[in-house]
Amino acid sequence: MSKKSFWQNIFHPDVTLPLIVIIVYLSLIAVANLIAAYFSAVNEQNIIAVGGNLLSVILYAVPAYGLSRLKRWARITELVLSFLSVALGTFLILAGVLGMGVVIIIPHALIAIYLLSDKCRRSFGLIT
């Protein structure tokens, strides 16, 4: 029986560095939303804001975990969420909220581009 390293317990052995960056980004957003949910509950007592933040935690944390284990469903889920985020960012830009739109579009477009790349698809065993 071989002993796995700490990193092998977190990440699948075939996870690439760009995928680790994506996983860390998604995880940080999930943690930030969890903290925001806490402060919304304690300070504002706004149940709608808490629910929205908890939904965001799920939408970021679940694909992050799946990507760390190279699950195909996580790749598809994150692609869909990235495309929806790019559409949302485009809508925000057209509505005059330029800064927020750009901040949403750039990371999610880069995530989608990488998840569609041959290198990433090879990691997930989709091409040989």
Side-chain angles (χ1 to χ4, degrees):
M1 185 163 128
S2 65
K3 184 174 178 173
K4 287 185 173 182
S5 72
F6 172 74
W7 294 110
Q8 287 175 324
N9 287 328
I10 294 176
F11 298 114
H12 187 280
D14 295 333
V15 170
T16 61
L17 182 60
L19 203 51
I20 290 173
V21 171
I22 292 169
I23 293 163
V24 168
Y25 171 76
L26 296 175
S27 299
L28 288 174
I29 299 297
V31 168
N33 276 292
L34 191 59
I35 293 168
Y38 171 77
F39 283 111
S40 292
V42 171
N43 294 339
E44 301 168 18
Q45 297 179 351
N46 184 348
I47 194 70
I48 294 173
V50 172
N53 288 124
L54 293 177
L55 178 63
S56 292
V57 169
I58 293 168
L59 290 175
Y60 282 97
V62 171
Y65 172 77
L67 290 173
S68 73
R69 307 307 307 155
L70 290 182
K71 300 293 184 184
R72 292 179 184 177
W73 59 262
R75 180 180 168 272
I76 298 298
T77 301
E78 188 53 39
L79 274 170
V80 169
L81 292 173
S82 290
F83 288 138
L84 289 173
S85 295
V86 168
L88 172 66
T90 303
F91 174 77
L92 289 173
I93 288 173
L94 294 175
V97 189
L98 181 65
M100 183 61 83
V102 170
V103 166
I104 291 173
I105 288 175
I106 290 175
H108 289 94
L110 292 173
I111 289 170
I113 289 167
Y114 181 73
L115 292 177
L116 290 170
S117 72
D118 286 344
K119 183 177 182 180
C120 182
R121 290 181 19 218
R122 196 169 296 113
S123 295
F124 281 87
L126 299 172
I127 58 175
T128 56

